[in-house]
Amino acid sequence: MSVITSPGAPTPAVAAARERSAELEHLVARNPAGYRVLTGDRPTGALHLGHLLGTVANRVRLQNLGVEVFLIVADYQVITDRDDAGDLPATVREVLLDYLAAGVDPARSTVFTHSAVPALNQLLLPFLSLVSVAELERNPTVKAEAEASAAQGRRGTSGLLLTYPVHQAADILFCHGNLVPVGADQLPHLEITRTVARRFNQRYAAARPYFAEPDALVTPSLTVLGDDGVKMSKSRGNALELRASEDQTAAYFKRARTDADRTITYEPERRPEIANLLRIGAHFSGTSPEALADEVGPAGAGRLKALVTEAVVEGLRPLRARRRELASAGPRYVADVLARGNARANEIADRTLDDVRGLMGMRY
Ligand code: ATP
Ligand code: MG
């Protein structure tokens, strides 16, 4: 897999987190059983190429290393910024099919839905008392979401959106997750989780800290752009879904935006759309974007798109075949995977909530 990070100098906090992450990778490789990962997605649509290259492949990698992975399908988070959640059961099923097809193994990883774990959600009440409104308002992701919602004429920030970092703390801490794979832009979120863990321990478990402060694992990953040249995202309608057919894949890359220069060169700053195609193509054909650019050169964007299509179609062939197989196995298989995941998540959450209430002097 090619490893590409975004261009530009990282901030000191990001540089420190990257350094710590490199160290963590060594620790995880030596003792995978000592780590529990919590990560997940909002069920706002089927997963796309950006998800696979940005996070899903990394989760499967961690799982296969022997790390215990918890995958939360964050259904309550869908309504942080929208009134209509759509057909959630259908969307959740699509997301699960994507996970399983990408290599998530339900025998080793726990997949669960947020709303199905009441004790996890109850942790929010004590946790909310541990952070101030000002701390939440300072969170850059909350700020960005609030600005985006205002710019798009949507309703103002909901209380749910404001408290999003605390929900994340509950999601991570209920299962004592100690490793959270994040993009560099999500580091502040994890800071609030660490703060909640620290303050809970100070207030209620000073003698013997109860929650460990989780570590961020900043993994170098690809940010994939959509066919319009903007970050690929479900809600922009610019995404290549993993479940797309080969014809849809070819049509997708055919319409992808490029630029007016004929000769293909890898210049991420000056030619972001071409660079994106080169990174995707290189990723799936096991080469580097530079080498792929040299190979295409004067043949131009048409040739590049043909090569990228071929590489993606070949690269996704096993995933898509497995997805079709799982989808045609009938609704029971996916439903059972989720039921087992929810049962396990509930067992752990009940235990954690019971401990928390005990520590808080609320066991009656
Ligand atoms: P929405 O449009 O509902 O926000 P989305 O497609 O942007 O959906 P998210 O649920 O916001 O997807 O993203 C989940 C995670 O997937 C992100 O934290 C990020 O790590 C990864 N991801 C999403 N889109 C991309 C992308 N284009 N490139 C790389 N990684 C991505
Ligand atoms: Mg998004």
Short mmCIF file of all heavy atoms in Angstrom, two decimals, residues 249-250 253-254 264 277-289 291-297 299-315:
data_model
loop_
_atom_site.label_atom_id
_atom_site.label_comp_id
_atom_site.label_asym_id
_atom_site.label_seq_id
_atom_site.Cartn_x
_atom_site.Cartn_y
_atom_site.Cartn_z
N THR A 249 -17.94 2.23 -12.29
CA THR A 249 -16.58 2.66 -11.94
C THR A 249 -15.93 3.35 -13.13
O THR A 249 -15.32 4.42 -13.00
CB THR A 249 -15.74 1.44 -11.49
OG1 THR A 249 -16.42 0.80 -10.41
CG2 THR A 249 -14.35 1.86 -11.05
N ALA A 250 -16.09 2.74 -14.31
CA ALA A 250 -15.50 3.33 -15.52
C ALA A 250 -16.14 4.70 -15.80
O ALA A 250 -15.44 5.68 -16.10
CB ALA A 250 -15.70 2.40 -16.70
N PHE A 253 -14.82 7.44 -13.32
CA PHE A 253 -13.50 8.04 -13.61
C PHE A 253 -13.51 8.82 -14.92
O PHE A 253 -12.77 9.78 -15.08
CB PHE A 253 -12.40 6.97 -13.57
CG PHE A 253 -12.10 6.54 -12.16
CD1 PHE A 253 -12.39 5.26 -11.72
CD2 PHE A 253 -11.55 7.45 -11.26
CE1 PHE A 253 -12.13 4.88 -10.41
CE2 PHE A 253 -11.28 7.08 -9.93
CZ PHE A 253 -11.57 5.79 -9.51
N LYS A 254 -14.36 8.41 -15.85
CA LYS A 254 -14.46 9.14 -17.12
C LYS A 254 -14.90 10.59 -16.85
O LYS A 254 -14.42 11.52 -17.48
CB LYS A 254 -15.44 8.42 -18.05
CG LYS A 254 -15.16 8.67 -19.52
CD LYS A 254 -15.88 7.67 -20.41
CE LYS A 254 -14.94 6.56 -20.87
NZ LYS A 254 -15.62 5.45 -21.52
N ILE A 264 0.89 14.37 -18.13
CA ILE A 264 0.59 14.00 -16.74
C ILE A 264 1.85 14.11 -15.88
O ILE A 264 2.89 13.51 -16.19
CB ILE A 264 0.03 12.56 -16.70
CG1 ILE A 264 -1.30 12.48 -17.47
CG2 ILE A 264 -0.17 12.09 -15.25
CD1 ILE A 264 -2.38 13.45 -17.01
N LEU A 277 -5.98 11.19 -8.92
CA LEU A 277 -6.09 10.01 -9.78
C LEU A 277 -4.81 9.19 -9.73
O LEU A 277 -4.83 7.95 -9.69
CB LEU A 277 -6.39 10.44 -11.23
CG LEU A 277 -7.80 11.00 -11.48
CD1 LEU A 277 -7.91 11.55 -12.90
CD2 LEU A 277 -8.86 9.93 -11.24
N LEU A 278 -3.68 9.88 -9.73
CA LEU A 278 -2.39 9.18 -9.68
C LEU A 278 -2.25 8.40 -8.37
O LEU A 278 -1.76 7.27 -8.36
CB LEU A 278 -1.24 10.18 -9.82
CG LEU A 278 -1.03 10.74 -11.23
CD1 LEU A 278 -0.09 11.95 -11.20
CD2 LEU A 278 -0.46 9.65 -12.17
N ARG A 279 -2.69 9.00 -7.25
CA ARG A 279 -2.57 8.30 -5.96
C ARG A 279 -3.46 7.07 -5.91
O ARG A 279 -3.06 6.02 -5.44
CB ARG A 279 -2.90 9.26 -4.80
CG ARG A 279 -1.78 10.25 -4.50
CD ARG A 279 -2.04 10.94 -3.17
NE ARG A 279 -3.27 11.72 -3.20
CZ ARG A 279 -3.33 13.04 -3.35
NH1 ARG A 279 -2.21 13.74 -3.46
NH2 ARG A 279 -4.48 13.66 -3.38
N ILE A 280 -4.70 7.24 -6.42
CA ILE A 280 -5.62 6.09 -6.41
C ILE A 280 -5.06 4.97 -7.29
O ILE A 280 -4.99 3.80 -6.89
CB ILE A 280 -7.03 6.52 -6.91
CG1 ILE A 280 -7.66 7.50 -5.92
CG2 ILE A 280 -7.93 5.29 -7.09
CD1 ILE A 280 -8.95 8.14 -6.43
N GLY A 281 -4.64 5.34 -8.50
CA GLY A 281 -4.10 4.34 -9.43
C GLY A 281 -2.87 3.67 -8.84
O GLY A 281 -2.73 2.44 -8.89
N ALA A 282 -2.00 4.46 -8.24
CA ALA A 282 -0.76 3.93 -7.67
C ALA A 282 -1.07 2.99 -6.51
O ALA A 282 -0.47 1.92 -6.37
CB ALA A 282 0.15 5.07 -7.20
N HIS A 283 -2.02 3.39 -5.69
CA HIS A 283 -2.39 2.57 -4.54
C HIS A 283 -2.79 1.15 -4.99
O HIS A 283 -2.35 0.17 -4.42
CB HIS A 283 -3.55 3.21 -3.78
CG HIS A 283 -4.11 2.34 -2.70
ND1 HIS A 283 -3.62 2.37 -1.42
CD2 HIS A 283 -5.06 1.37 -2.73
CE1 HIS A 283 -4.26 1.46 -0.70
NE2 HIS A 283 -5.15 0.85 -1.46
N PHE A 284 -3.64 1.10 -6.01
CA PHE A 284 -4.16 -0.20 -6.41
C PHE A 284 -3.21 -0.98 -7.32
O PHE A 284 -3.40 -2.17 -7.53
CB PHE A 284 -5.53 -0.05 -7.09
CG PHE A 284 -6.63 0.18 -6.09
CD1 PHE A 284 -7.20 1.44 -5.93
CD2 PHE A 284 -7.09 -0.86 -5.29
CE1 PHE A 284 -8.21 1.67 -5.00
CE2 PHE A 284 -8.10 -0.65 -4.36
CZ PHE A 284 -8.66 0.61 -4.22
N SER A 285 -2.21 -0.30 -7.89
CA SER A 285 -1.30 -1.08 -8.74
C SER A 285 0.07 -1.22 -8.08
O SER A 285 1.03 -1.66 -8.73
CB SER A 285 -1.23 -0.50 -10.15
OG SER A 285 -1.13 0.89 -10.11
N GLY A 286 0.14 -0.85 -6.80
CA GLY A 286 1.37 -1.09 -6.05
C GLY A 286 2.57 -0.32 -6.57
O GLY A 286 3.70 -0.80 -6.51
N THR A 287 2.32 0.87 -7.09
CA THR A 287 3.45 1.69 -7.55
C THR A 287 3.35 3.04 -6.84
O THR A 287 2.56 3.22 -5.93
CB THR A 287 3.42 1.81 -9.09
OG1 THR A 287 4.48 2.65 -9.50
CG2 THR A 287 2.11 2.36 -9.61
N SER A 288 4.18 4.00 -7.27
CA SER A 288 4.09 5.33 -6.66
C SER A 288 3.41 6.28 -7.64
O SER A 288 3.43 6.06 -8.86
CB SER A 288 5.49 5.85 -6.33
OG SER A 288 6.18 6.14 -7.53
N PRO A 289 2.80 7.36 -7.12
CA PRO A 289 2.17 8.32 -8.03
C PRO A 289 3.16 8.90 -9.03
O PRO A 289 2.82 9.12 -10.20
CB PRO A 289 1.66 9.42 -7.09
CG PRO A 289 1.66 8.83 -5.72
CD PRO A 289 2.64 7.72 -5.70
N ALA A 291 5.84 7.42 -10.29
CA ALA A 291 6.15 6.42 -11.33
C ALA A 291 4.98 6.30 -12.31
O ALA A 291 5.18 6.20 -13.52
CB ALA A 291 6.44 5.07 -10.68
N LEU A 292 3.77 6.36 -11.77
CA LEU A 292 2.60 6.27 -12.65
C LEU A 292 2.53 7.49 -13.58
O LEU A 292 2.21 7.36 -14.76
CB LEU A 292 1.32 6.14 -11.80
CG LEU A 292 0.03 5.90 -12.55
CD1 LEU A 292 0.11 4.64 -13.43
CD2 LEU A 292 -1.15 5.75 -11.58
N ALA A 293 2.86 8.66 -13.03
CA ALA A 293 2.87 9.88 -13.84
C ALA A 293 3.87 9.75 -14.98
O ALA A 293 3.57 10.08 -16.14
CB ALA A 293 3.20 11.09 -12.97
N ASP A 294 5.05 9.20 -14.67
CA ASP A 294 6.07 9.02 -15.70
C ASP A 294 5.60 8.04 -16.77
O ASP A 294 5.85 8.22 -17.96
CB ASP A 294 7.38 8.47 -15.08
CG ASP A 294 8.11 9.55 -14.30
OD1 ASP A 294 7.76 10.74 -14.47
OD2 ASP A 294 9.02 9.19 -13.50
N GLU A 295 4.89 7.01 -16.32
CA GLU A 295 4.41 5.99 -17.26
C GLU A 295 3.39 6.58 -18.23
O GLU A 295 3.41 6.29 -19.41
CB GLU A 295 3.79 4.85 -16.43
CG GLU A 295 3.35 3.66 -17.25
CD GLU A 295 2.57 2.64 -16.39
OE1 GLU A 295 2.87 2.52 -15.17
OE2 GLU A 295 1.66 1.99 -16.93
N VAL A 296 2.52 7.45 -17.73
CA VAL A 296 1.46 7.99 -18.60
C VAL A 296 2.00 9.18 -19.40
O VAL A 296 1.83 9.26 -20.62
CB VAL A 296 0.23 8.43 -17.77
CG1 VAL A 296 -0.85 8.99 -18.67
CG2 VAL A 296 -0.31 7.28 -16.93
N GLY A 297 2.64 10.10 -18.71
CA GLY A 297 3.28 11.27 -19.34
C GLY A 297 2.43 11.92 -20.42
O GLY A 297 1.29 12.35 -20.17
N ALA A 299 0.70 10.79 -22.79
CA ALA A 299 -0.54 10.13 -23.24
C ALA A 299 -1.79 10.82 -22.67
O ALA A 299 -2.89 10.61 -23.16
CB ALA A 299 -0.51 8.65 -22.87
N GLY A 300 -1.60 11.61 -21.61
CA GLY A 300 -2.69 12.48 -21.15
C GLY A 300 -3.70 11.84 -20.21
O GLY A 300 -3.61 10.67 -19.82
N ALA A 301 -4.71 12.67 -19.86
CA ALA A 301 -5.67 12.29 -18.82
C ALA A 301 -6.53 11.10 -19.23
O ALA A 301 -6.92 10.30 -18.37
CB ALA A 301 -6.56 13.49 -18.48
N GLY A 302 -6.83 10.97 -20.54
CA GLY A 302 -7.65 9.85 -21.00
C GLY A 302 -6.98 8.53 -20.65
O GLY A 302 -7.61 7.60 -20.13
N ARG A 303 -5.70 8.48 -20.97
CA ARG A 303 -4.93 7.25 -20.69
C ARG A 303 -4.84 7.01 -19.18
O ARG A 303 -5.00 5.88 -18.70
CB ARG A 303 -3.53 7.42 -21.30
CG ARG A 303 -2.57 6.31 -21.01
CD ARG A 303 -2.83 5.09 -21.91
NE ARG A 303 -2.03 3.95 -21.49
CZ ARG A 303 -2.50 2.72 -21.30
NH1 ARG A 303 -3.79 2.47 -21.50
NH2 ARG A 303 -1.72 1.75 -20.92
N LEU A 304 -4.61 8.08 -18.42
CA LEU A 304 -4.52 7.95 -16.96
C LEU A 304 -5.83 7.38 -16.41
O LEU A 304 -5.82 6.45 -15.60
CB LEU A 304 -4.21 9.31 -16.32
CG LEU A 304 -4.27 9.35 -14.79
CD1 LEU A 304 -3.24 8.40 -14.17
CD2 LEU A 304 -4.03 10.77 -14.27
N LYS A 305 -6.94 7.93 -16.88
CA LYS A 305 -8.23 7.47 -16.37
C LYS A 305 -8.46 6.00 -16.70
O LYS A 305 -9.01 5.25 -15.88
CB LYS A 305 -9.35 8.32 -16.97
CG LYS A 305 -9.40 9.72 -16.38
CD LYS A 305 -10.48 10.53 -17.06
CE LYS A 305 -10.73 11.82 -16.31
NZ LYS A 305 -11.92 12.52 -16.83
N ALA A 306 -8.04 5.59 -17.88
CA ALA A 306 -8.20 4.18 -18.26
C ALA A 306 -7.38 3.29 -17.32
O ALA A 306 -7.86 2.25 -16.86
CB ALA A 306 -7.78 3.97 -19.72
N LEU A 307 -6.15 3.71 -17.04
CA LEU A 307 -5.29 2.92 -16.15
C LEU A 307 -5.85 2.87 -14.73
O LEU A 307 -5.84 1.83 -14.08
CB LEU A 307 -3.87 3.51 -16.11
CG LEU A 307 -3.00 3.25 -17.35
CD1 LEU A 307 -1.63 3.90 -17.18
CD2 LEU A 307 -2.83 1.74 -17.58
N VAL A 308 -6.36 4.02 -14.26
CA VAL A 308 -6.91 4.08 -12.89
C VAL A 308 -8.14 3.18 -12.80
O VAL A 308 -8.30 2.40 -11.86
CB VAL A 308 -7.25 5.53 -12.49
CG1 VAL A 308 -8.02 5.57 -11.18
CG2 VAL A 308 -5.97 6.36 -12.38
N THR A 309 -8.99 3.25 -13.82
CA THR A 309 -10.20 2.42 -13.83
C THR A 309 -9.82 0.95 -13.74
O THR A 309 -10.37 0.19 -12.91
CB THR A 309 -11.02 2.67 -15.11
OG1 THR A 309 -11.37 4.06 -15.14
CG2 THR A 309 -12.29 1.83 -15.14
N GLU A 310 -8.86 0.57 -14.58
CA GLU A 310 -8.44 -0.83 -14.60
C GLU A 310 -7.90 -1.25 -13.23
O GLU A 310 -8.24 -2.31 -12.71
CB GLU A 310 -7.34 -0.96 -15.65
CG GLU A 310 -7.11 -2.35 -16.16
CD GLU A 310 -5.94 -2.33 -17.16
OE1 GLU A 310 -6.04 -1.60 -18.19
OE2 GLU A 310 -4.93 -3.00 -16.87
N ALA A 311 -7.08 -0.40 -12.64
CA ALA A 311 -6.46 -0.73 -11.34
C ALA A 311 -7.52 -0.84 -10.25
O ALA A 311 -7.48 -1.76 -9.42
CB ALA A 311 -5.42 0.33 -10.97
N VAL A 312 -8.48 0.07 -10.26
CA VAL A 312 -9.51 0.06 -9.22
C VAL A 312 -10.42 -1.16 -9.41
O VAL A 312 -10.75 -1.86 -8.44
CB VAL A 312 -10.32 1.37 -9.22
CG1 VAL A 312 -11.53 1.28 -8.31
CG2 VAL A 312 -9.43 2.54 -8.81
N VAL A 313 -10.82 -1.41 -10.64
CA VAL A 313 -11.70 -2.56 -10.92
C VAL A 313 -11.01 -3.86 -10.48
O VAL A 313 -11.62 -4.70 -9.81
CB VAL A 313 -12.09 -2.60 -12.41
CG1 VAL A 313 -12.64 -3.97 -12.81
CG2 VAL A 313 -13.12 -1.51 -12.72
N GLU A 314 -9.74 -3.99 -10.83
CA GLU A 314 -8.99 -5.20 -10.43
C GLU A 314 -8.84 -5.25 -8.91
O GLU A 314 -9.07 -6.27 -8.28
CB GLU A 314 -7.58 -5.20 -11.07
CG GLU A 314 -7.58 -5.67 -12.50
CD GLU A 314 -8.31 -7.00 -12.68
OE1 GLU A 314 -8.06 -7.94 -11.90
OE2 GLU A 314 -9.16 -7.08 -13.59
N GLY A 315 -8.45 -4.10 -8.33
CA GLY A 315 -8.17 -4.04 -6.90
C GLY A 315 -9.41 -4.33 -6.05
O GLY A 315 -9.32 -4.92 -4.98
#
